């Protein structure tokens, strides 16, 4: 919901005030919404009431589900009490619920007890809930007993529900006025939204009209690496570097690399298994690939790169996808202590991160060449996994939320593709441990060779890493293998943040280009949290890394290329990015072959009649003349009888 940090919201308003539309906007970007309809069907002959109900139904997206509680007033409390933490409920409205409650069919009943039961269900509800209710008490007291009973019951229900909800808003003439809390934080260009500590189970899904203002500092529920929540965590700066001039290039030529830094607002996100996130369009991808066979190309087509077109079409929801224009690179920097980092030079990862921030090195140069923004993200350092958990449980939760917010920030900035990379020490061993725990892999089979700075193979360091992974798996042999347990025991901060990025990108329909062991390990973990995440991932090249090859096989990700690059996580993908963009641009720009449009003659153009102007004219006898008589031969020759005489002018000799 766009009300950050709040789990339950009550939307009040008068008739035709716009309260329902405002409530719907609060949950517009939630992956799945369950619409709880409380109003009775009414008189079948009341066409005006039927029209109102039809208007409400027409506004609901096709992905929403509807549940009706008009048959039993007490059922609304049961629906709220049984809702799961990953659900979003929109209850519209309490006026219809009170109407059913006062129906003589359900009397006698204890209305006060039923209202109190509803309020208690709202307090204990684990899902995100928005309730809509008509505001009463601003007009004259009704003159009929039934009217007074209705206003009394609805007023009591509104008071009880408002007390139970985290936030209350009054909509007047389409304008929201927040009543609870008294001093909400208001993002620019959005309805006023309260801020504060997140309640358990709360989640943020930005409404379509809510846009964070420039310069607003980001907030999170807990600082990365802290067990206790802290009020503010700033997201890292988004960098846009200009590539240095090539030897044959004059300096000063401008590069069109957009700057895409947007602040974030507070979020009370909870991430847990079974989240229902969106899937790519299952029809657009095959349609786009089929369309490639009709394009006007001289050869056989794009080969295996047609998968790029199918992936882009599915994630963009169109059979004619366009090349990714806005790209952001996320470079995760977090070290793993202990044997996982054997063979690495102390401080090397920090040097690489500083190099990227300064616009130097392979990653920053390739990002500048591609016009991509770069964000260097410091993640919590991981403890030695062979002797203790890599992260505390609170750190895992915070790291997951942090990664989700990074993806949300990118989506809010209009980023069309994320590239995920890492540069921490010990990341390969941590990824190997995650693969061993989630896919049953043997550590030696997924640990790549250790290459020193001088280009030599360090077998001793490789054996130390294998031993660290082996000991970590032995230590955790009786531990649960849930996603968060694997991150806490083995994965560490960078894998946890990468997992949050994948989940947040999936929720916001942003594709991710994976590159290296950390991204693939995050993909393995994300399967248990939201199985849809892997369908938004693309693997350009496995780089001959054994862990990447195994994880890609498990996730069903077929590498597009086999360039055997080893430039560092993120840089390998950026090398392939211009080719992938070119493929999409070509597929979008080429016309259909003329033979398939009906514009061309299948038999080819008509051949002109030949002309023989250069040959001499015929001057012999005209045999077509009926009066023509053949001259007699000059010498003796054969004679013909009258019976044999033809009608062509021959005479007997």
């Amino acid at each position: 919901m766009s009300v950050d940090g709040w789990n339950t919201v009550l939307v009040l308003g008068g008739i035709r005030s716009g309260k329902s539309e405002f409530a719907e906007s609060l949950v517009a970007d939630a992956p799945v919404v369950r619409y709880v309809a409380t109003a009775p069907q009414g008189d079948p002959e009341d066409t005006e009431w039927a029209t109102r109900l039809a208007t409400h139904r027409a506004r609901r997206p096709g992905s929403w589900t509807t549940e009706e509680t008009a048959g039993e007033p007490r059922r609304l409390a049961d629906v709220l009490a049984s809702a799961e933490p990953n659900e979003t409920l929109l209850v519209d409205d309490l006026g219809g619920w009170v109407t059913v409650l006062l129906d003589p069919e359900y009397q006698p009943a204890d209305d006060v007890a039923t209202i109190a039961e509803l309020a208690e269900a709202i307090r204990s509800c684990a899902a995100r809930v928005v309730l809509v209710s008509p505001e009463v008490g601003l007009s004259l007291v009704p003159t009929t007993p039934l009217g007074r009973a209705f206003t009394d019951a609805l007023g009591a229900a509104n008071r009880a529900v408002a007390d139970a909800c985290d936030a209350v808003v009054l909509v007047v003439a389409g304008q929201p006025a927040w009543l609870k809390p008294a001093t909400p934080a208001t993002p620019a260009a959005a309805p006023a939204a309260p801020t504060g500590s997140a309640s358990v189970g709360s989640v943020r899904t930005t409404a379509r009209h809510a846009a964070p203002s420039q310069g607003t500092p980001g907030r999170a529920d807990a600082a990365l690496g802290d067990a206790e929540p802290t009020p503010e965590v700033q997201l890292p700066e988004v960098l846009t570097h200009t590539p240095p001039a090539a030897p044959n290039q004059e300096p000063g030529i401008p590069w069109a690399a957009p700057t895409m830094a947007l602040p974030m607002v507070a979020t009370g996100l909870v991430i847990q298994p079974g989240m229902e996130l969106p899937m790519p369009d299952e029809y657009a991808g095959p349609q786009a690939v089929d369309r490639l066979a009709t394009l006007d190309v001289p050869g056989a087509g794009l080969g295996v790169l047609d998968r790029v077109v199918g992936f882009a079409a599915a994630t963009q929801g169109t059979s004619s996808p366009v090349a990714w224009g806005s790209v952001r690179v996320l470079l995760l920097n977090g070290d793993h202590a202990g044997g996982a980092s054997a063979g690495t030079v102390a401080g090397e990862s920090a040097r690489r991160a500083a190099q990227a921030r300064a616009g130097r090195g392979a990653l920053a140069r390739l990002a500048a060449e591609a016009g991509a923004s770069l964000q260097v993200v410091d993640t919590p350092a991981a403890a030695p996994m062979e002797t203790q958990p890599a992260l505390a449980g609170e750190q895992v939760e915070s790291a997951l939320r942090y990664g989700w917010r990074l993806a949300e920030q990118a989506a809010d900035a209009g980023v069309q593709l994320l590239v995920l990379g890492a540069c921490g020490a010990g990341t390969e061993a941590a990824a190997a441990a995650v693969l061993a725990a989630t896919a049953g892999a043997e550590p030696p089979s997924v640990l790549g060779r250790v290459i020193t700075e001088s280009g030599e193979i360090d077998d001793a360091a490789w054996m130390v890493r294998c031993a660290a992974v082996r000991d970590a798996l032995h230590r955790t042999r009786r531990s649960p293998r849930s996603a968060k347990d694997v991150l806490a025991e083995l994965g560490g901060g960078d894998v946890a943040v990468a997992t949050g990025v994948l989940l947040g990108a999936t929720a916001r329909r942003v594709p991710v280009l994976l590159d290296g062991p950390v991204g693939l390990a995050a993909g393995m973990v994300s399967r248990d949290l939201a199985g849809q995440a892997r369908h938004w991932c693309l693997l350009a090249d496995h780089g001959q890394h054994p862990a990447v090859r195994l994880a890609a096989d498990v996730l069903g990700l077929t590498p597009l290329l086999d360039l055997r690059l080893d430039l560092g996580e993120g840089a390998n993908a950026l090398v392939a990015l211009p080719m992938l963009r070119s493929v999409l641009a070509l597929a979008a720009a080429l016309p259909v072959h003329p033979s398939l449009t009906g514009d061309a003659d299948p038999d080819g153009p008509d051949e002109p009649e030949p002309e023989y102007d250069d040959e001499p004219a015929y001057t012999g006898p005209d045999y077509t003349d009926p009066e023509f008589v053949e001259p007699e031969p000059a010498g003796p020759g054969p004679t013909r009888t009258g019976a044999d005489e033809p009608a062509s002018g021959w005479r007997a000799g």
Side-chain angles (χ1 to χ4, degrees), residues 171-373:
V171 180
V172 180
Q175 305 303 310
W178 291 94
L179 309 179
K180 179 185 179 181
T183 312
T186 307
T195 61
S197 302
S199 59
V200 178
S202 58
V203 68
R204 171 185 181 268
T205 322
T206 307
R208 301 188 190 279
H209 61 276
S213 59
Q214 297 287 345
T216 305
R219 292 180 178 270
D221 296 318
L224 290 178
D226 295 336
E228 293 296 327
T230 55
E232 187 169 316
V233 172
Q234 185 72 35
L235 289 176
E237 181 184 3
V238 179
L239 307 172
T240 303
H241 297 299
T242 300
N248 59 346
Q249 178 184 358
E250 292 295 330
I253 297 179
W255 285 73
T259 301
M260 297 169 292
L262 284 182
M264 294 294 294
V265 294
T267 177
L269 178 66
V270 60
I271 298 176
Q272 61 184 10
M275 292 190 296
E276 291 292 336
L277 300 181
M279 282 281 290
D281 192 320
E282 61 179 322
Y283 301 107
Q287 290 172 356
V289 174
D290 292 342
R291 179 179 172 273
L292 294 178
T294 68
L295 299 183
D296 188 10
V297 293
L302 298 175
V304 297
L305 292 180
D306 62 358
R307 294 200 299 268
V308 181
V309 180
F311 174 81
T315 53
Q316 295 178 21
T318 174
S319 59
S320 301
V322 297
W324 301 297
S326 179
V327 180
R328 177 170 297 180
V329 183
L330 296 179
L331 181 63
L332 309 181
N333 175 36
D335 292 340
H336 297 255
S341 58
T344 59
V345 178
E348 177 66 11
S349 61
R351 185 182 74 85
R352 293 289 183 189
Q355 190 181 55
R357 289 189 177 98
R360 301 190 305 271
L363 182 71
R365 174 62 187 260
L366 289 170
E369 295 285 353
S373 59

Side-chain angles (χ1 to χ4, degrees), residues 431-444:
V434 170
L435 284 175
T438 56
E442 289 293 332

